[in-house]
Amino acid sequence: MTAASAWEQVLDYSNRANPYPFHAELRRTPVTKLPDGTYVVSTYAEIASLLHDPRVSSDISRNPAAAAAGATGDDLDGPGMSPTFLSMDPPDHDRFRRIAMRHFGPPTTPGRVAGMEVRMREIVAELIDGMADRNRIDVVDDLAYPLPVTVICELLGVPPGDERRFRVWVDVALQSTDPGLDPETQQKKRAEAGTELGAYMEELVEAHRKSPGNDLLSAMATDDGPEGRMPAEQLVSTGLLLLIAGHETTVNLISNGALTLLRHPHQLQMLRSDPDLAIPMVEELLRYEPPVHFVPFRTALDDIDIAGTTIPAGSSLTLLLAAGNRDPAHFTDPDLFIPERRNNQHLGFGGGIHLCFGAPLARLEAQIALTEFAGRIRNPRLVADPPPYRPSPFLRGPSHLPLDIDGVAGKEHGRPGPGPPPPTPAESHPSPAGTDAQTGPARGLPR
Ligand code: HEM
């Protein structure tokens, strides 16, 4: 198989449940040129190096592949909206990221994320209590989606109930990133979602500016800190970036996590008896089943010599983070899920100046959700393995994860929970390619 056809297989929906054999194929040529001129980078050392290379731009308006797909900096973030700092280079990237970060994390606001922990536990407890009388649940709809969406809304100051308004537009915006769609349809979907989301966020920012509360949007909208106030149009696009990035990815981390634990009953039992294992386990999940599989639309600003290839200035790059995460040159037994490996050098949150802004929040949510899932859900069994997947090859995760269960344990009885005797470690590490039990074809339903 040629590297270019391996990439086609990665994008092909029928491989969404298990793209890893095609990643292995791509790693044979660390830097692969596709017929459209894009370079796909798939090995750990090369991805890490390019993530930190100032000759690699995130500015979408410079990217030839984005232009060919009909996307400019403006309309990727929504027509008429400013690009966010995600698609900017220094110095603008650094300035807008700092203004937003002042209200989200240390040193100025060290308590914002930690202060949500009690509330996160409350939300998870309520969600699991709500499963008490059921013998079938859907991890995506009943836990993995409602937790992060509620948390990010409360953090930003988005009124409860607005989720129903923005849900549809966010789905359309995400569909527009599906490389399987023709450029015209992608652009139409982007325009449709961008207009609605932009108008919605503008209204919200204005309301918070006039009547600020104790939330992130109000803080950003009224900040006259050392770097000045964020321009109004930046506030709108940053608000949307945080709202969308703040939940869509974490949904996948929790549902990929539950699926992985069900495929590894020994590790599920270990988490039941030792909740502290959640910390390294979530890091291992970010390596083994990362919610963001690749970073598209980077541009070489200069000729870059790497792994025996010269990437010419002006070329488009795609960094295949998920393949780097399973590079045997960097990780021992990369296709095994080993929570105790205590490795935090995965590429799940990217790297360099664009390293994920919300990582502490996502980690905490996933640690709490998965610990309570392990401790309280009685005898969970997968209804379908693999489950149906969401369409995107880039934000990858199940669209639904139905489980049969025997009810839930009370909060106080959650840990350590009763459970079947753990299988031996040999039984629980059978997956060379990342999906242990391929019992049927993957046929996804959009969520
Ligand atoms: C498991 C959950 C998450 C994963 C896997 C994830 C992954 C990533 C990755 C790979 C990047 C780098 C993108 C690039 O280099 O172009 C990134 C950037 C970013 N993430 Fe996350 N993310 C998660 C959760 C969150 C949350 C909860 C928030 C907000 C509260 C957030 C906000 C952002 C922002 C604003 C950026 C852009 C940073 C910059 O350009 O400087 N993410 N994320």
Side-chain angles (χ1 to χ4, degrees):
M1 174 180 290
T2 63
S5 55
W7 176 247
E8 275 172 26
Q9 295 300 317
V10 169
L11 299 185
D12 188 332
Y13 181 71
S14 63
N15 296 315
R16 200 66 78 244
N18 186 13
Y20 299 108
F22 304 105
H23 292 183
E25 204 58 53
L26 278 162
R27 278 193 303 266
R28 291 150 67 98
T29 323
V31 180
T32 295
K33 187 176 179 189
L34 302 180
D36 74 353
T38 298
Y39 287 79
V40 175
V41 185
S42 52
T43 42
Y44 185 96
E46 282 67 30
I47 295 170
S49 150
L50 292 169
L51 281 170
H52 290 86
D53 194 326
R55 295 170 299 172
V56 176
S57 168
S58 289
D59 179 347
I60 277 160
S61 63
R62 294 172 181 247
N63 188 274
T72 64
D74 271 9
D75 71 5
L76 261 191
D77 293 282
M81 282 198 284
S82 301
T84 63
F85 57 85
L86 173 67
S87 41
M88 285 181 192
D89 293 333
D92 290 344
H93 163 271
D94 305 2
R95 175 164 167 250
F96 291 132
R97 179 168 166 134
R98 272 198 305 268
I99 296 180
M101 189 51 96
R102 269 168 59 72
H103 306 289
F104 184 75
T108 321
T109 320
R112 174 87 67 193
V113 171
M116 289 292 293
E117 179 171 349
V118 171
R119 179 68 186 126
M120 286 181 199
R121 291 194 182 282
E122 218 172 77
I123 299 167
V124 171
E126 275 168 26
L127 292 170
I128 296 186
D129 288 348
M131 302 170 191
D133 300 326
R134 296 166 54 188
N135 49 25
R136 168 130 338 155
I137 61 166
D138 178 351
V139 174
V140 177
D141 288 351
D142 297 326
L143 177 66
Y145 177 74
L147 170 65
V149 84
T150 309
V151 168
I152 197 67
C153 286
E154 291 187 6
L155 200 97
L156 282 171
V158 172
D162 271 16
E163 186 269 345
R164 279 190 297 278
R165 285 180 73 189
F166 64 71
R167 167 81 269 146
V168 181
W169 309 322
V170 171
D171 274 348
V172 176
L174 291 180
Q175 283 164 23
S176 79
T177 66
D178 180 350
L181 290 180
D182 63 275
E184 205 180 312
T185 314
Q186 281 188 348
Q187 217 173 355
K188 228 173 94 194
K189 283 185 181 286
R190 263 200 301 275
E192 185 189 325
T195 308
E196 300 286 3
L197 284 167
Y200 165 73
M201 187 52 75
E202 218 172 298
E203 211 179 278
L204 206 61
V205 164
E206 189 49 22
H208 284 68
R209 199 186 53 74
K210 282 195 184 138
S211 169
N214 183 26
D215 56 71
L216 189 53
L217 265 188
S218 298
M220 291 195 302
T222 54
D223 181 19
D224 288 313
E227 302 199 67
R229 195 171 281 203
M230 201 181 257
E233 68 280 4
Q234 259 310 303
L235 261 172
V236 170
S237 43
T238 303
L240 281 177
L241 171 66
L242 295 176
L243 179 64
I244 299 173
H247 72 274
E248 282 301 336
T249 45
T250 313
V251 175
N252 289 346
L253 181 57
I254 297 171
S255 42
N256 288 338
L259 175 61
T260 303
L261 285 173
L262 290 163
R263 288 172 171 168
H264 296 80
H266 178 69
Q267 279 80 356
L268 177 61
Q269 184 58 29
M270 279 166 61
L271 181 60
R272 268 188 201 124
S273 28
D274 177 12
D276 289 346
L277 188 60
I279 294 169
M281 183 174 279
V282 166
E283 299 313 303
E284 176 67 345
L285 283 169
L286 283 155
R287 181 194 73 78
Y288 180 78
E289 284 282 21
V292 178
H293 263 221
F294 54 87
V295 174
F297 299 146
R298 292 281 164 104
T299 312
L301 298 180
D302 206 343
D303 289 356
I304 299 175
D305 293 322
I306 188 158
T309 302
T310 300
I311 302 176
S315 307
S316 179
L317 308 179
T318 295
L319 308 179
L320 190 49
L321 306 174
N325 274 343
R326 289 188 182 218
D327 184 344
H330 190 83
F331 298 101
T332 310
D333 293 331
D335 290 321
L336 299 185
F337 174 62
I338 308 175
E340 316 85 303
R341 75 165 79 228
R342 295 193 185 267
N343 152 65
N344 60 6
Q345 290 181 311
H346 59 75
L347 301 170
F349 286 129
I353 62 167
H354 293 278
L355 179 74
C356 179
F357 176 99
L361 183 70
R363 285 189 165 112
L364 191 57
E365 289 179 67
Q367 288 160 9
I368 294 172
L370 292 173
T371 310
E372 294 303 306
F373 171 82
R376 294 193 58 201
I377 310 282
R378 290 202 170 109
N379 193 18
R381 282 106 56 205
L382 284 169
V383 171
D385 191 0
Y389 272 76
R390 303 170 77 183
S392 175
F394 131 77
L395 292 181
R396 179 181 163 276
S399 52
H400 295 284
L401 186 56
L403 305 184
D404 284 333
I405 63 171
D406 297 340
V408 301
K411 271 171 273 188
E412 66 283 12
H413 302 121
R415 291 189 305 264
T424 64
E427 279 170 323
S428 63
H429 284 158
S431 163
T435 44
D436 296 350
Q438 301 264 348
T439 53
R443 287 286 170 271
L445 315 161
R447 193 180 65 224

